[in-house]
Amino acid sequence: MARKQTHLGLAAATLAGLVIAACDDPGSRSVPATPGTDTATAAATHGAAEALVDYEAAIALADPYLRVQRLGRVLAAGDDTLLDPIRQTLRRYPTRLSGAEFDLMVRFWAEREPREALAWVARNASPLYRVGAIRTIAEIWAASDPAAALVGVEIPDVLRTDESARAAQVAVVQGWYRSDRASLEEHIRALGTGIQRQRSLFAMLVAMGSEEGSEALIRWAEAVPEEDERYKKAVFRQALSALAWLDTEGAARFCEAHCDSAFGQGMRNVLIRSRLRAGDPPAEVVEWVGRFPASDKTLEERKRHSLWVAYSTWAYRDREAAVAWLTEQLERGEQDWLPALYGEYARQRAAEAPAEAIVWAEKIEDENERTQTMVRIARRWLEVDRAAAEAWLAGSSLPPAARASARDLSRPTYLPDADSPSPPTDEPGTAS
């Protein structure tokens, strides 16, 4: 950069000048003993001046790797005398500095003044760095004083966006985990049902898995008493989510052991979405779900729903590939789980080929789902080819009320468009 930017102010510059002058003599870095001078005070002043010079030199380096390395060493050895220079740098943050330097400086501040650091970051930091910095501060604060941090993050500037509020909550839990795990567990249990407990459980289990390993996480989850059924279910779901984040093989093992248990409802769907987000081949995910046995009606319904979750999520992300793959599978007809996807296949084909989509909708086993899907496809069909759709309606098996509903084009179809598919909801059906 053509011109070096300096942010330390007059006091820092004066101290730096003292040290620069002393550096002409290699042996002059020791504190001279002058009559009437307090040696400890002189040593402290001299050390502060050296730290300021080292700090300025670190942030002035052009090479980003060397800059982060040197700044880390300076801050690790620094004391409170660097607080003012750091605050000034943060307020006038040079564009050539990166988020790594920003995080190091915020970390230094938070270790000494977490409340003040959080208030300033939440209100004034660049959006590029704000959420990450809030997380850094909240985690450091909670590691030293979880009770204060738990209350301290509840300020309007942190809560103004869901992203920053969520980051703060997760960070408090992870910092608290390192300082007092037992009291954290009590706190999470006391939260009751809802998003706060789910998010806190996930954060705690990610910390547990990161620090103690997947097996420790699994043992803890399995040891949670079964008396509180809702809490046990929440623990299992968040344990699987954390494992999917940390250890996909561990997540698969946990799912095989518990996804079809009394506490496993919805767990397989968590892993499905996690695998797809992580980039696993969607066809493999669908086939993986299809291989699970279903020994009774409850498990059969769970499997059917999980197949829908896997396939509809894939179709939302890449409809063309999903439809082409399932078309090939249906032509082969080799898998016994394919009928569970007739309805979703019909929905995906409805925009481009409603007549073919109706054929597949008529194959749906469940009567309510079959009627609902046929009504919606017919409604779409009437919009693009009324004559053909009316001809089909006249000879269809739909009852009169369903035919009337199909002809009511003021009602939504809840079908994906060819170019803009609708995202999957938690349940395959919505009232038509």
Side-chain angles (χ1 to χ4, degrees):
M1 183 170 287
R3 184 170 61 88
K4 176 183 175 184
Q5 296 181 354
T6 303
H7 312 300
L8 300 184
L10 181 58
T14 302
L15 287 170
L18 292 173
V19 173
I20 292 170
C23 285
D24 290 337
D25 177 3
S28 65
R29 296 180 77 87
S30 60
V31 180
T34 53
T37 299
D38 185 294
T39 303
T41 301
T45 303
H46 187 73
E50 284 190 355
L52 292 172
V53 171
D54 288 344
Y55 173 74
E56 268 291 270
I59 64 174
L61 287 170
D63 185 286
Y65 295 105
L66 294 177
R67 189 168 62 238
V68 172
Q69 184 183 56
R70 186 163 178 182
L71 181 61
R73 287 200 304 267
V74 170
L75 296 184
D79 58 22
D80 292 358
T81 59
L82 288 178
L83 275 174
D84 280 340
I86 284 173
R87 284 190 287 253
Q88 290 179 48
T89 304
L90 290 172
R91 291 187 184 106
R92 304 177 182 86
Y93 200 66
T95 56
R96 61 184 172 76
L97 299 183
S98 70
E101 288 93 358
F102 190 92
D103 184 75
L104 285 172
M105 288 184 273
V106 164
R107 184 175 295 275
F108 184 91
W109 190 2
E111 288 169 349
R112 290 154 178 82
E113 298 177 344
R115 190 182 307 277
E116 293 79 0
L118 182 66
W120 184 87
V121 162
R123 173 164 294 188
N124 301 301
S126 164
L128 293 172
Y129 306 136
R130 183 182 297 127
V131 174
I134 287 172
R135 178 166 184 160
T136 293
I137 297 165
E139 187 171 345
I140 289 170
W141 195 358
S144 62
D145 190 348
L150 189 66
V151 176
V153 298
E154 299 287 324
I155 59 175
D157 286 319
V158 170
L159 301 179
R160 64 180 169 178
T161 70
D162 183 63
E163 185 182 17
S164 59
R166 182 169 62 248
Q169 183 191 357
V170 167
V172 166
V173 170
Q174 293 183 328
W176 193 345
Y177 177 85
R178 294 200 302 272
S179 65
D180 188 352
R181 173 173 152 179
S183 67
L184 172 62
E185 291 181 25
E186 292 178 8
H187 165 74
I188 292 174
R189 273 185 173 276
L191 286 174
T193 59
I195 188 64
Q196 294 286 344
R197 183 159 78 177
Q198 294 173 36
R199 191 178 290 162
S200 296
L201 272 171
F202 175 74
M204 184 185 75
L205 289 165
V206 167
M208 186 184 298
S210 299
E211 298 190 14
E212 302 179 37
S214 299
E215 293 307 315
L217 187 162
I218 291 170
R219 287 194 301 272
W220 181 85
E222 290 175 337
V224 169
E226 299 180 359
E227 287 76 11
D228 187 343
E229 182 178 342
R230 298 185 74 173
Y231 182 65
K232 181 77 171 183
K233 285 181 177 179
V235 166
F236 269 25
R237 286 173 66 93
Q238 299 310 318
L240 188 62
S241 295
L243 286 166
W245 183 272
L246 299 167
D247 176 7
T248 53
E249 292 182 2
R253 291 196 307 274
F254 189 71
C255 186
E256 288 172 8
H258 299 292
C259 278
D260 289 328
S261 71
F263 302 101
Q265 185 174 2
M267 281 175 54
R268 187 172 290 114
N269 300 338
V270 171
L271 185 53
I272 287 167
R273 293 189 172 102
S274 296
R275 289 189 61 182
L276 292 173
R277 278 196 302 269
D280 286 5
E284 290 184 13
V285 175
V286 176
E287 291 171 346
W288 169 74
V289 177
R291 287 193 295 270
F292 278 93
S295 56
D296 57 41
K297 189 172 182 180
T298 298
L299 296 182
E300 184 178 338
E301 177 58 27
R302 285 190 191 179
K303 178 176 178 177
R304 188 194 71 81
H305 181 59
S306 293
L307 280 164
W308 173 82
V309 169
Y311 182 74
S312 62
T313 304
W314 179 14
Y316 172 60
R317 297 180 176 190
D318 188 350
R319 179 183 173 278
E320 185 176 345
V323 169
W325 177 83
L326 188 51
T327 299
E328 181 180 349
Q329 300 302 311
L330 291 170
E331 289 173 354
R332 292 179 181 177
E334 298 172 353
Q335 307 294 344
D336 60 2
W337 44 263
L338 286 170
L341 294 177
Y342 287 166
E344 186 58 28
Y345 182 69
R347 291 180 71 252
Q348 296 297 333
R349 296 296 308 278
E352 60 189 11
E356 293 180 31
I358 282 287
V359 172
W360 289 103
E362 290 174 326
K363 299 175 184 287
I364 298 172
E365 182 179 342
D366 181 81
E367 181 179 357
N368 289 334
E369 183 186 353
R370 181 173 64 249
T371 298
Q372 183 183 77
T373 304
M374 290 166 65
V375 165
R376 291 174 178 177
I377 295 173
R379 204 176 286 156
R380 173 70 58 80
W381 198 0
L382 285 163
E383 293 176 345
V384 297
D385 189 347
R386 190 167 192 91
E390 284 288 2
W392 175 80
L393 276 171
S396 75
S397 60
L398 289 174
R403 294 185 195 184
S405 178
R407 291 186 174 99
D408 184 358
L409 302 187
S410 67
R411 305 181 74 177
T413 63
Y414 298 104
L415 295 172
D417 296 323
D419 298 324
S420 179
S422 59
T425 57
D426 189 56
E427 297 295 336
T430 308
S432 60

